Amino acid sequence: MSVRLLAAALALPFAVFAQEPIRVGAFLSVTGPAAFLGDPEQKTLELYVEKQNAAGGVLGRKLQLVAYDSAGDAEKARGYVKRLIEQDRVDVIIGGSTTGETMAAVPLAEGAGVPFISLAGAVVIIEPVKKWVFKTPHTDRMACEKIFVDMRARGATKAALISGAGGFDRSMRAECLKVAERHGVQIVADESYGAGDTDMTAQLTKIKNTPGVQAVLNCGFGQGPAIVTKNYRQLGIATPFYQSHGVASKQYVKLSGDAAEGVRLPAAALLVADTLPAEDAQKKVVVAYKHEFEKRFNQEVSTFGGHAYDGLMLFVEAVKRAGSTDKAKVRDALEQTRGYMGTAGVVNMSTQDHMGLDLTAFRMLEVRKGDWRLVD
Amino acid sequence: MLAQYLVSGVTIGAIYALVALGFAIIYNASHVINFAQGEFVMIGGMTSAVCVEAGLALPLAAAAAILVATLVGMLLEKLAVEPARGASVVTLIIITIGASILLRGLATLVWDKKIHSLPAFSGEQPIAIGAATLLPQVLWVLGVSAAAVALLGWFFNRTLTGKAMLAVSHNRLAARLVGISVRRVLLASFALSAALGALAGILIAPISFTSWDVGVMLGLKGFAAAILGGLGSGPGAVVGGLALGLIESLGAGYLSSAYKDVFAFLIILAALVFLPDGLFGRRAAERV
Amino acid sequence: MCSFPTASSAAARPSASRRGLAALALVVALLPLALTNAYTYEIAILVGLNAITCVGLNILIGYAGQISLGHAGFFGLGAYGSAILAARYGVPPLLALAIASGAVGAAAWLIGRPILRLRGHYLAMGTLGMGVIVSVVLATEDRVTGGPDGMPVPPLSVFGYPLSGERTWYWIVAGALICAVALAQNLIESPRGRALRALHGSEIAAGAIGIDAARHKLGAFVLSAVFAAVAGALMAHYSGFITPGKASFLHSIELVTMVVFGGMASTFGAVAGAAVLTTLPQLLTALKEYEMVTLGAVMMLTMIVMPLGLVPTLEKRIAAARGKPV
């Protein structure tokens, strides 16, 4: 008799969760050339799905993460997204570490009517705005604008670009070329290097010998920018040097060593979480995420993981506001997100803006003695 | 400007030369193109980087890395190349490509997907030579590569083992007839190529870092350099490597940096059209 | 030194190949019964597209005995050619596909003449270089091609009706595959095909009996390029999106692996190789971080254990079991 009571009592919490779990689909570049994007993204999603479930789930239902590794390959990404939609029947898709993979998935999400929160950078993802597609990271265009504003503040009106061959590199370069004029900056040199190149002194020599260069911007991520940085110092170029948000990580600083001293780049407040002034509106969220992530995974927090956190939390908030996981209702709720504070900044979405960040979400950082320092 | 382009071209070229030599040595002994050659470079760089991070002194880490790569090379020969001895050229290409994928996968499992670095051998203070500056590490790359090439030259021409390896490359049957163990020569060639690749990886890691997939591009370019120089020719591999590095650097500087790889390959293709056996390649007499 | 294609027995007897074609048609017709959702249809379509490319590539590698490590370049050129004509110049997609494939064939004819003078590993390098050049150009000219992130492609349409949806495309690709296999078989059994096989055996001996080696090699090269271009264009219009990764060295290697794995000098081997190696990575995703290691190991093991490829090895075993000489 008492055994049966005990069994019934034990079964009760399970009965609550016996409802259908909320399926969160993800396709991330965990391996491959964009692994340092996908790896923290995957870890973040796993960690916070777990925490959310430990706190009782969402609407009384457990979250279930279905994640695939698309390895930076757009074709693979397409296949996995199809799988997520058709086979795994997910309620939302969070993913697409790179723009290429995201764009390959967009028509599928649009066609099937599944909310898709992208973790990639290019502005083309949300411009023109697509009904079912949202994104959490800052756009590469915003990064260019933040950098050009800072260049003008330092008195530079002529700049040189040096970019890698990858999707992120070329997309940001294209955006920078587009918005430079608007910010009063003229691009006087435009050099490129390939994936896996070991030495960029030739390109930098060309830039060094271009008359009138007052600032240099390197659009890239991975090991390329670190090599460019070292070559920059080796050649003794003293011109102000900017990197992109793609290398907003301690790994870049470590690899570049002393050469990174004085380099500026736009980044989310997450990187300087602990040194933010106490009144900073973002401080609470970023400090919490940073500590949770570093405690659990024993590795440096990364802004890319932060984008995944924002994506998941935006979805969770939207589901709570919509009161259901009905895809159309969740989509509407996502679009109505106002004043949500994420690791990237404050998010205010609208029918025309499916990203919701503004330029305040980017902080200008400078590398000083191997650590970040807020400039503005 | 030209001086700087030359310096950078010769630096990259020296690394390509070491990788190309690795291709040449294996090809000579076995007529196999080892598409996993780039992975030896990766193993050299990664092993030494991880050892140094764990606290080992640099020379010890380097020695350990070369040893590990040599072992991997020998395993590759024993387990993959020897069993497939009679297979066609294309099949062997697939096997070695499969090996390179396997090695890269193992690298992500044993180590990680992060980018690692080695401390520069003698500091990072740039040295000015005329109008060009270079890092001290570049001198190490050039110096050690030159020493390695010289050592190999002495090895192949003055020692019995080396001459045996050369004999196998000229005529396998004849070599066997005079008592040379072709199997041992094959094993030795893989070991030697692996060691060379690892050396290249260790030399370049302080300049351009190392990660689980550095081998892909380097392997490809090393292969291109080996072909340009003439497959099977040691001096050809070195010349091919240096030439490729210079073409890339000068192309980036004077023409278009976005297309420097295209120029490099176009020039290689053009060279092959006029010299179908490469710069120093032996005109293979085809038996009917 | 030369490995003679041992599947010649199947190819030499027209009735056997006709049976093979009928069997393929049957499999293709019945497969939809096993396909449960759009995702499985997608896999089948990808298999079909890879198979078309591999059937063409097999004519070059298996029958003419040449090596091409840059064939994805033709695939990519066909895809981008059709995509750019349709998306930026408003050419009707079917016409764009035809023009692009024809243009790639012409380009292959132009490149083929100097490149095919190379032999063995030098030819491998030549084709590899060609493939790299194509993929770099496609990735760099972002104003035309959309750069490394690729560009959207309008769907295929017939008389204004867009053809989309996995089920429609399954039949399109199936039809294209049957045509490709029939064409390839036809070629192999014709005097042209026999000339090709003679070339593979010994170029000098073939020359001695009056076969123009250069012309036949070029013909095989161009034909295989056209097959790849058509498959590429179809993939572009099916996916609605195309990236330069489709022209990469890695993709070229995948294609060669499929041909060799399935069995060189065997058209059905090429189809089988494409089928296995397209579905395998999908199955391996369950292994997560062990996927690469497993893929590499599988490639190596199968080539060591079955150096002739899947289909010829099976044929041999079956023939041996029956007690017949191969």
Side-chain angles (χ1 to χ4, degrees):
Chain A
M1 174 68 189
S2 53
V3 175
R4 255 182 269 157
L5 264 176
L6 188 64
L10 284 174
L12 209 55
F14 292 113
V16 172
F17 282 121
Q19 286 180 67
E20 270 282 290
I22 300 177
R23 270 182 281 267
V24 177
F27 67 106
L28 306 162
S29 312
V30 185
T31 61
F36 66 94
L37 296 176
D39 183 72
E41 286 166 359
Q42 168 123 336
K43 290 190 160 106
T44 302
L45 286 178
E46 283 168 1
L47 171 61
Y48 279 90
V49 162
E50 212 181 276
K51 283 172 70 76
Q52 199 69 36
N53 285 341
V58 178
L59 297 182
R61 291 162 67 181
K62 226 159 94 157
L63 287 175
Q64 185 192 20
L65 180 65
V66 184
Y68 294 116
D69 175 14
S70 46
D73 181 340
E75 196 56 54
K76 266 194 184 169
R78 239 185 73 91
Y80 287 133
V81 171
K82 273 226 167 119
R83 197 164 164 168
L84 286 171
I85 296 177
E86 304 278 342
Q87 200 135 302
D88 301 309
R89 311 208 146 271
V90 295
D91 297 298
V92 68
I93 301 175
I94 301 178
S97 312
T98 65
T99 303
E101 297 169 287
T102 295
M103 294 313 288
V106 160
L108 299 173
E110 287 282 303
V114 177
F116 172 30
I117 304 177
S118 164
L119 304 180
V123 73
V124 66
I125 295 171
I126 38 121
E127 188 181 291
V129 77
K130 301 154 193 64
K131 187 168 176 211
W132 296 91
V133 180
F134 300 82
K135 95 182 191 80
T136 49
H138 321 80
T139 61
D140 42 12
R141 179 186 296 165
M142 284 170 67
C144 294
E145 294 180 322
K146 188 86 185 178
I147 291 171
F148 288 141
V149 164
D150 196 78
M151 279 184 185
R152 288 304 307 275
R154 280 164 109 179
T157 52
K158 292 203 174 132
L161 287 180
I162 174 167
S163 344
F168 172 88
D169 313 41
R170 304 308 285 181
S171 173
M172 182 166 171
R173 168 190 164 271
E175 287 302 315
C176 285
L177 286 169
K178 251 190 255 173
V179 301
E181 285 285 307
R182 215 182 297 167
H183 289 269
V185 176
Q186 191 195 355
I187 306 290
V188 294
D190 179 12
E191 298 298 318
S192 306
Y193 52 90
D197 275 3
T198 53
D199 181 288
M200 283 54 130
T201 52
Q203 291 92 329
L204 286 173
T205 305
K206 234 167 138 181
I207 287 178
K208 190 177 175 189
N209 286 300
T210 306
V213 171
Q214 295 163 315
V216 179
L217 167 57
N218 180 195
C219 304
F221 76 49
Q223 58 198 60
I227 301 177
V228 173
T229 307
K230 286 182 95 142
N231 290 161
Y232 203 82
R233 294 305 167 213
Q234 174 199 325
L235 292 174
I237 307 178
T239 329
F241 189 31
Y242 289 86
Q243 285 286 346
S244 75
H245 52 305
V247 292
S249 72
K250 273 294 165 61
Q251 189 183 233
Y252 162 71
V253 178
K254 210 173 74 158
L255 287 174
S256 313
D258 293 331
E261 192 77 4
V263 170
R264 290 197 179 181
L265 52 77
L270 181 58
L271 285 190
V272 286
D274 292 322
T275 59
L276 284 173
E279 344 61 84
D280 193 300
Q282 270 195 277
K283 183 151 180 135
K284 196 164 144 243
V285 173
V286 295
V287 165
Y289 171 70
K290 179 177 151 90
H291 290 167
E292 286 293 330
F293 186 89
E294 289 181 346
K295 188 175 75 180
R296 170 65 103 84
F297 297 111
N298 204 14
Q299 75 184 57
E300 197 85 34
V301 76
S302 106
T303 48
F304 311 111
H307 300 322
Y309 169 86
D310 291 344
L312 183 65
M313 288 307 147
L314 278 169
F315 170 68
V316 165
E317 293 297 312
V319 169
K320 285 187 184 156
R321 266 180 287 125
S324 90
T325 54
D326 173 74
K327 298 190 178 69
K329 291 199 182 135
V330 170
R331 187 216 80 89
D332 290 339
L334 272 172
E335 203 173 62
Q336 286 153 11
T337 305
R338 295 275 185 284
Y340 168 76
M341 184 55 76
T343 63
V346 67
V347 179
N348 289 304
M349 301 235 194
S350 77
T351 49
Q352 288 311 302
D353 183 358
H354 277 196
M355 176 189 59
L357 294 170
D358 60 33
L359 269 185
T360 64
F362 258 144
R363 314 296 180 100
M364 188 55 77
L365 302 179
E366 188 173 290
V367 179
R368 283 267 162 235
K369 294 196 184 35
D371 205 350
W372 308 110
R373 215 192 46 183
L374 259 174
V375 165
D376 53 19
Chain B
M1 280 201 330
L2 178 63
Q4 191 66 53
Y5 297 149
L6 290 176
V7 166
S8 104
V10 169
T11 313
I12 323 174
I15 295 297
Y16 291 158
L18 284 179
V19 181
L21 263 177
F23 274 106
I25 293 176
I26 290 184
Y27 179 78
N28 266 340
S30 63
H31 288 281
V32 168
I33 286 293
N34 173 26
F35 275 98
Q37 188 65 29
E39 267 51 60
F40 295 140
V41 177
M42 180 268 292
I43 292 176
M46 285 296 283
T47 312
S48 51
V50 167
C51 285
V52 165
E53 279 162 25
L56 222 58
L58 187 56
L60 274 175
I66 294 181
L67 202 69
V68 169
T70 311
L71 279 168
V72 171
M74 296 203 290
L75 273 172
L76 180 64
E77 198 277 325
K78 270 285 158 218
L79 297 176
V81 178
E82 212 174 272
R85 227 169 338 184
S88 67
V89 167
V90 192
T91 306
L92 283 164
I93 289 179
I94 302 292
I95 292 178
T96 56
I97 291 179
S100 82
I101 295 177
L102 177 70
L103 287 171
R104 264 178 281 148
L106 278 175
T108 61
L109 292 174
V110 170
W111 297 305
D112 55 36
K113 295 164 219 141
K114 293 204 291 232
I115 304 168
H116 294 262
S117 171
L118 264 186
F121 295 3
S122 56
E124 306 243 335
Q125 201 53 21
I127 306 171
I129 296 190
T133 58
L134 41 75
L135 290 171
Q137 190 64 26
V138 170
L139 291 176
W140 279 100
V141 172
L142 294 174
V144 174
S145 306
V149 171
L151 210 72
L152 279 174
W154 170 83
F155 172 73
F156 281 119
N157 289 312
R158 296 258 183 260
T159 66
L160 208 55
T161 329
K163 287 200 213 179
M165 289 174 76
L166 271 186
V168 168
S169 79
H170 283 289
N171 188 325
R172 217 183 234 199
L173 189 57
R176 209 180 255 147
L177 285 173
V178 298
I180 296 174
S181 162
V182 173
R183 212 176 289 165
R184 277 215 216 122
V185 163
L186 250 112
L187 200 62
S189 67
F190 268 81
L192 193 54
S193 288
L196 269 177
L199 186 64
I202 298 169
L203 286 171
I204 194 120
I207 305 181
S208 63
F209 316 118
T210 181
S211 62
W212 65 281
D213 64 350
V214 271
V216 184
M217 252 305 149
L218 281 175
L220 203 69
K221 300 240 173 110
F223 173 54
I227 291 275
L228 176 65
L231 213 42
S233 160
V238 175
V239 171
L242 290 171
L244 184 59
L246 282 168
I247 296 172
E248 271 185 24
S249 180
L250 292 170
Y254 288 119
L255 296 166
S256 152
S257 54
Y259 279 118
K260 65 172 169 60
D261 283 348
V262 171
F263 294 136
F265 279 109
L266 275 174
I267 291 185
I268 293 179
L269 289 179
L272 286 178
V273 166
F274 293 109
L275 295 164
D277 289 304
L279 293 170
F280 292 92
R282 264 169 286 166
R283 298 242 138 200
E286 207 181 317
R287 286 255 165 82
V288 181
Chain C
M1 184 215 69
C2 61
S3 47
F4 222 100
T6 55
S8 44
S9 50
R13 286 179 283 136
S15 57
S17 78
R18 217 158 291 157
R19 266 185 278 144
L21 192 61
L24 180 67
L26 196 67
V27 167
V28 160
L30 292 179
L31 192 60
L33 297 174
L35 299 176
T36 48
N37 56 33
Y39 167 65
T40 48
Y41 266 96
E42 159 117 353
I43 304 295
I45 292 170
L46 284 177
V47 167
L49 291 172
N50 278 333
I52 295 173
T53 318
C54 288
V55 165
L57 190 55
N58 177 49
I59 295 177
L60 184 66
I61 297 184
Y63 290 105
Q66 307 300 305
I67 305 178
S68 174
L69 293 186
H71 237 67
F74 293 130
F75 186 91
L77 280 176
Y80 269 93
S82 190
I84 292 172
L85 283 173
R88 298 202 198 281
Y89 295 99
V91 176
L94 265 179
L95 187 62
L97 195 156
I99 298 176
S101 310
V104 170
W109 189 82
L110 280 170
I111 307 172
R113 298 172 87 227
I115 276 196
L116 289 170
R117 283 170 51 193
L118 303 168
R119 308 281 189 76
H121 292 112
Y122 295 94
L123 178 61
M125 180 65 230
T127 51
L128 197 159
M130 178 204 80
V132 168
I133 291 174
V134 168
S135 74
V136 170
V137 171
L138 286 176
T140 312
E141 288 300 314
D142 44 5
R143 243 169 309 210
V144 181
T145 65
D149 284 333
M151 60 179 277
V153 184
L156 208 57
S157 59
V158 175
F159 304 119
Y161 286 107
L163 295 169
S164 60
E166 281 74 25
R167 278 160 185 77
T168 322
W169 270 97
Y170 176 82
W171 296 113
I172 297 177
V173 173
L177 177 61
I178 305 270
C179 288
V181 172
L183 202 71
Q185 289 297 88
N186 224 317
L187 172 71
I188 302 304
E189 288 151 24
S190 70
R192 254 243 154 119
R194 286 198 291 274
L196 273 180
R197 277 181 282 148
L199 260 186
H200 188 177
S202 164
E203 222 169 289
I204 294 174
I209 57 168
I211 294 175
D212 184 346
R215 219 186 78 208
H216 281 92
K217 281 199 283 191
L218 189 59
F221 191 67
V222 170
L223 189 65
S224 61
V226 172
F227 271 54
V230 170
L234 284 174
M235 164 160 297
H237 289 289
Y238 164 61
S239 305
F241 206 78
I242 184 74
T243 59
K246 287 282 145 254
S248 68
F249 173 58
L250 206 69
H251 191 209
S252 291
I253 295 301
E254 279 174 13
L255 293 171
V256 174
T257 309
M258 288 177 198
V259 171
V260 178
F261 176 84
M264 295 188 281
S266 164
T267 310
F268 299 103
V271 176
V276 172
L277 288 179
T278 309
T279 42
L280 191 66
Q282 297 292 329
L283 301 171
L284 288 181
T285 57
L287 295 170
K288 290 184 188 285
E289 61 262 28
Y290 294 94
E291 186 185 335
M292 233 197 286
V293 174
T294 317
L295 190 65
V298 166
M299 275 172 78
M300 289 173 72
L301 277 170
T302 49
M303 287 292 93
I304 294 172
V305 167
M306 296 189 304
L308 289 171
L310 188 65
V311 171
T313 311
L314 282 177
E315 280 178 347
K316 253 190 174 170
R317 297 261 168 88
I318 294 175
R322 284 207 199 132
K324 265 190 255 176
V326 177

